Amino acid sequence: MMDLAPFYLTLKLAFFTTIVLFVLGIPLAYWLAFSRWRPKIIVEAIVGLPLVLPPTVMGFYLLLAFSPENAFGRFLDNYLDIRLVFTFPGLVVASVIYSLPFMIQPLQSGFRMLPHVLTEASYTLGKSRFITLVHVLLPNIKGAILSGCILTFAHTIGEFGVVLMIGGNIPNETRVVSVLIYNEVEAMNYEMANFYSLILLIFSFLVLITVYVFQYKRADSSIFR
Amino acid sequence: MIEIQITRKLHGADGELNLQFETRIKPGELVTIYGPSGAGKSSVLRMIAGLLKPTSGKIIVDGQVWVDKNEKIDLKTASRDIGMVFQEYSLFPNMTVRGNLEFALQKGQPKNVVAEILALTQLENLQDKKPALLSGGQKQRVALARALIRKPKILLLDEPLSALDSGMRAKLQDYILEYHQKFNLTTILVSHDYNEIVKLSKRVLLLEGGMIQKDGPPKEVFSSPIG
């Protein structure tokens, strides 16, 4: 019998992760793109870490950090009444960190590719940085924003190691599709595992096609020439 | 009256250059800064606009201090009442011609200023077009119109016509002259086109080696050797 709950949970997780990363990602990518502060490369490296680190390593450290046995987790537990280990909010926080580069890097390169004269022209028209960001920069990097959101969403759907470490395998709370597939294989239930896997495979393929279509469109547009 | 007295070290293709720029510009004057490339012409304009910080000095516009490095005053670009047209095309690609002009409106400025400037600059038939569909000359005309919307104290023109062919260039020179006279705008133009300078301005500053070497009417400045 097909279990739909993990699909719902996975989409919910991807949705919240994308929203949170979008809101955090714009100021962070803006800062990374335009700041002249040299040590920012440290921040850039931290943002890029999830690309190279085994998800289990990241999940393991997040598990330690969030655990009520340790200072940060205890602080969240005692003062804010937030428990991040083996809960859905914990999954969202972990996913946000894990998908950071997938949102930040497209946005950052989008900002960098815009001709700087647009920003300067806006300032000479008496506009603040914020107005310039909202009315000039963001509307002209729509393609990058879309790529960032789609990649974040898709990457979150494909998460496994981090999710398993931090969330475990609790039905309706932390059991996402990738964990479900793992369960089915463990139980030698290959038919269901294949079925769920195929859905993820097709989904991921379609997502990438969409991203590339937008990228080609962006390269073809001649607005900055 | 605009009083400028600024210094800054510049790093160019020919090594380091100590820019020392000092002048006074009367209200309503159209002054051209002329000089070889790398002399710091654009840097002067950018420092007046606040896009580049001078190391020391002052910029005082109609008694209002924009820069006074001794007092640690250096107003942000957005707080300086300027209009600027750049050498590169700088229209916002996401907005129509009209949208670009509307964006330039200041708080409390009536919206009909846009219609007025569109009519004056004869851009009404292009108002709904996106910048990508305009020719180079049209883009710079719109950029000029956009810079006029706020009726700035100083209009800064950083070689705005250098990318255009000579026919288009002559046409835009006429526009610049017309708006300058109509609004009595104090205008500082960077140019290295002799004919353009003679046509547009009554006063030229020859900038070379980081200093103003000559200051006077174009005919005088261009007739005698430097020294």
Side-chain angles (χ1 to χ4, degrees):
Chain A
M1 203 12 221
M2 187 176 158
D3 186 4
L4 278 177
F7 281 92
Y8 168 70
L9 192 69
T10 306
L11 291 176
K12 191 168 110 179
L13 176 64
F15 177 76
F16 279 111
T17 303
T18 308
I19 298 282
V20 172
L21 257 184
F22 178 71
V23 173
L24 293 179
I26 283 174
L28 182 56
Y30 179 87
W31 179 75
L32 285 174
F34 300 121
S35 167
R36 295 214 185 115
W37 190 62
R38 288 274 172 84
K40 81 172 182 188
I41 56 165
I42 297 172
V43 180
E44 267 181 306
I46 293 173
V47 168
L49 263 185
L51 288 175
V52 291
L53 217 54
T56 39
V57 172
M58 181 151 283
F60 174 65
Y61 284 120
L62 288 175
L63 182 65
L64 287 189
F66 296 164
S67 162
E69 310 269 304
N70 293 312
F72 180 65
R74 197 158 46 231
F75 168 79
L76 290 179
D77 215 23
N78 291 348
Y79 292 97
L80 304 173
D81 201 22
I82 295 173
R83 181 67 70 89
L84 292 180
V85 177
F86 305 122
T87 62
F88 182 76
L91 277 195
V92 173
V93 174
S95 297
V96 163
I97 296 170
Y98 185 53
S99 287
L100 210 50
F102 293 84
M103 181 64 88
I104 300 296
Q105 289 181 354
L107 290 182
Q108 194 184 340
S109 72
F111 280 134
R112 275 206 192 128
M113 277 179 37
L114 278 184
H116 194 54
V117 71
L118 297 182
T119 307
E120 291 186 335
S122 175
Y123 292 166
T124 64
L125 296 170
K127 305 303 170 189
S128 67
R129 272 188 200 202
F130 181 73
I131 295 284
T132 304
L133 173 69
V134 173
H135 292 279
V136 176
L137 302 184
L138 291 181
N140 287 309
I141 61 163
K142 269 190 211 144
I145 294 174
L146 210 65
S147 292
C149 288
I150 294 174
L151 285 172
T152 301
F153 194 86
H155 187 239
T156 307
I157 294 220
E159 256 177 57
F160 177 66
V162 174
V163 171
L164 197 65
M165 283 295 221
I166 206 85
N169 191 359
I170 306 165
N172 296 320
E173 181 72 22
T174 63
R175 183 187 288 167
V176 294
V177 179
S178 58
V179 175
L180 175 71
I181 293 169
Y182 183 72
N183 284 348
E184 298 292 1
V185 173
E186 284 253 283
M188 308 277 277
N189 222 342
Y190 284 15
E191 203 178 316
M192 283 321 275
N194 182 28
F195 180 68
Y196 294 137
S197 297
L198 210 58
I199 293 177
L200 276 199
L201 179 73
I202 292 167
F203 175 80
S204 307
F205 183 69
L206 288 178
V207 163
L208 287 180
I209 294 282
T210 315
V211 171
Y212 292 149
V213 164
F214 275 109
Q215 279 173 354
Y216 276 114
K217 256 195 183 167
R218 206 158 26 128
D220 285 343
S221 75
S222 57
I223 46 176
F224 299 129
R225 274 178 214 155
Chain B
M1 179 68 82
I2 303 167
E3 298 169 63
I4 305 168
Q5 183 250 313
I6 40 178
T7 70
R8 187 186 157 101
K9 209 174 258 175
L10 299 177
H11 307 274
D14 308 324
E16 247 176 34
L17 178 75
N18 270 317
L19 181 67
Q20 286 184 297
F21 188 91
E22 190 171 349
T23 196
R24 282 162 169 262
I25 295 165
K26 285 193 286 241
E29 219 178 351
L30 195 162
V31 182
T32 304
I33 306 177
Y34 172 83
S37 60
K41 305 183 296 285
S42 287
S43 298
V44 169
L45 230 53
R46 293 173 66 78
M47 284 193 271
I48 297 170
L51 297 170
L52 190 69
K53 306 250 172 261
T55 324
S56 66
K58 285 180 189 176
I59 298 174
I60 298 167
V61 179
D62 295 343
Q64 196 192 359
V65 180
W66 285 11
V67 176
D68 186 342
K69 291 309 249 186
N70 287 337
E71 301 288 326
K72 297 212 161 63
I73 299 171
D74 198 337
L75 290 191
K76 278 191 287 193
T77 300
S79 315
R80 302 183 189 201
D81 190 359
I82 53 167
M84 186 158 180
V85 183
F86 299 82
Q87 189 174 0
E88 310 98 300
Y89 302 132
S90 63
L91 297 181
F92 307 127
N94 57 314
M95 304 176 195
T96 59
V97 167
R98 176 177 263 276
N100 268 276
L101 266 57
E102 281 173 351
F103 182 75
L105 285 169
Q106 306 299 297
K107 256 185 210 145
Q109 213 181 350
K111 261 201 154 182
N112 59 17
V113 175
V114 172
E116 182 193 314
I117 297 281
L118 276 172
L120 177 77
T121 53
Q122 296 168 341
L123 287 168
E124 282 156 314
N125 53 336
L126 298 178
Q127 59 176 310
D128 296 321
K129 289 223 160 79
K130 287 274 178 79
L133 298 172
L134 304 180
S135 71
Q138 289 171 330
K139 281 181 193 169
Q140 292 304 67
R141 245 170 82 202
V142 175
L144 185 62
R146 188 178 66 179
L148 296 173
I149 291 280
R150 71 192 291 193
K151 317 240 161 100
K153 274 202 174 125
I154 315 176
L155 181 63
L156 303 167
L157 306 172
D158 189 2
E159 302 195 46
L161 312 183
S162 63
L164 309 178
D165 64 60
S166 57
M168 201 63 214
R169 196 183 266 229
K171 233 181 178 176
L172 270 155
Q173 286 162 357
D174 294 337
Y175 282 123
I176 291 176
L177 210 54
E178 188 191 329
Y179 309 147
H180 166 70
Q181 284 159 355
K182 185 167 171 91
F183 293 113
N184 197 29
L185 267 177
T186 310
T187 305
I188 307 177
L189 168 73
V190 166
S191 174
H192 54 228
D193 177 341
Y194 173 78
N195 291 323
E196 183 170 293
I197 296 168
V198 172
K199 182 171 168 184
L200 292 182
S201 59
K202 295 196 176 70
R203 184 178 166 207
V204 183
L205 309 174
L206 173 64
L207 187 66
E208 201 166 2
M211 307 258 276
I212 298 175
Q213 305 289 354
K214 285 183 175 188
D215 179 350
K219 294 242 158 73
E220 246 171 60
V221 168
F222 290 120
S223 63
S224 58
I226 305 159

